[in-house]
Amino acid sequence: MTGNPKYRRLVVFGRRQGHRLRPQRQALMRDLLPQIGIDLTPDGDPIQPRDLFADGTKEVWLEIGFGAGEHLAWQAARRPDVGFIGCDPFLNGVSALLDQIAIENLSNVRIFPDDARLLMARLGGGGINRLCLLFPDPWPKRRHHKRRMVTRENVARFADIMADGGEFRFATDHPEYGRASLIKLLDEPRFRWLAERPDDWRERPDDWPETRYEGKAREAGRAPMFLRFERLACSRAQANSV
Ligand SMILES: C[S@@+](CC[C@H](N)C(=O)[O-])C[C@H]1O[C@@H](n2cnc3c(N)ncnc32)[C@H](O)[C@@H]1O
């Protein structure tokens, strides 16, 4: 899947696999993943997200780093008219999401079991209506900051692949990563922060279920922040001058 030499310089930081998968999960990886997995054929045309889903799919949402997949499965069960793409290289999490897809018979989920940057590099522009990045690894040590998902380069790529009027959702329980990310997101002229009062970033909207990492953060006494941005149809500078 990642054989394209163009992408070989990308390195996934963090674990690819934890404990050995139970036989039932192994069977899902063998039988279900090939049916709904996204394969990046070398040097193919850009992938149009809508083409991955059934006719009549109204929007496509992308979740980067879905962990055990509970947020993605919750959303997919409630929005059968939306196509969901989940990216995560951690194979135990992929198998957990496959389990939920099988139990709930979800037909609107596709999985890229690898580094999201590989997929984003191949997606055509403007096809993602919502992008969720929930509790990405904060890489707290300064020398590891370049491993973070929220970099200026990636923020620009998020804006490239998103549709006009789309929404970017970001959560973290790490205050310094939150502040550093907010600065980069505010600097991207195609994003507009949707917060109007402090509770807008302190409280999670009702259509956004708690993830496993949020639960762990709260147990440890850390208050998460929830950032929502609109992907503007034109740059903010253009919007302000109208
Ligand atoms: C701290 S966990 C959060 C999981 C989940 N979003 C939650 O809130 O419970 C971060 C997740 O990001 C995934 N991840 C790390 N690097 C990634 C990358 N380059 N592309 C996609 N996912 C990545 C990890 O495998 C892990 O599952």
Side-chain angles (χ1 to χ4, degrees), residues 119-130:
L119 180 67
M120 289 196 295
R122 289 290 300 278
L123 289 181
I128 300 295
N129 302 88
R130 183 174 293 179

Side-chain angles (χ1 to χ4, degrees), residues 13 63-67 70 87-90 114-117 134-137 149 211-213:
F13 300 102
E63 184 168 338
I64 295 177
F66 56 72
E70 63 279 344
C87 297
D88 202 304
F90 187 54
D114 210 324
D115 187 332
R117 294 170 299 172
L134 311 181
F135 300 91
D137 300 307
M149 187 53 73
T211 67
R212 195 170 283 197
Y213 268 79

Side-chain angles (χ1 to χ4, degrees), residues 11-66:
V11 178
V12 175
F13 300 102
R15 295 184 308 165
R16 291 298 301 259
Q17 181 143 21
H19 60 78
R20 192 178 151 77
L21 299 180
R22 293 196 301 270
Q24 178 255 357
R25 294 273 176 99
Q26 287 180 20
L28 288 169
M29 295 292 278
R30 187 189 60 231
D31 302 332
L32 182 55
L33 185 58
Q35 294 174 42
I36 63 169
I38 299 172
D39 202 5
L40 297 184
T41 49
D43 294 327
D45 291 333
I47 297 169
Q48 301 306 331
R50 205 72 75 89
D51 293 347
L52 299 168
F53 297 95
D55 289 349
T57 298
K58 293 206 179 80
E59 295 191 356
V60 178
W61 297 5
L62 169 65
E63 184 168 338
I64 295 177
F66 56 72

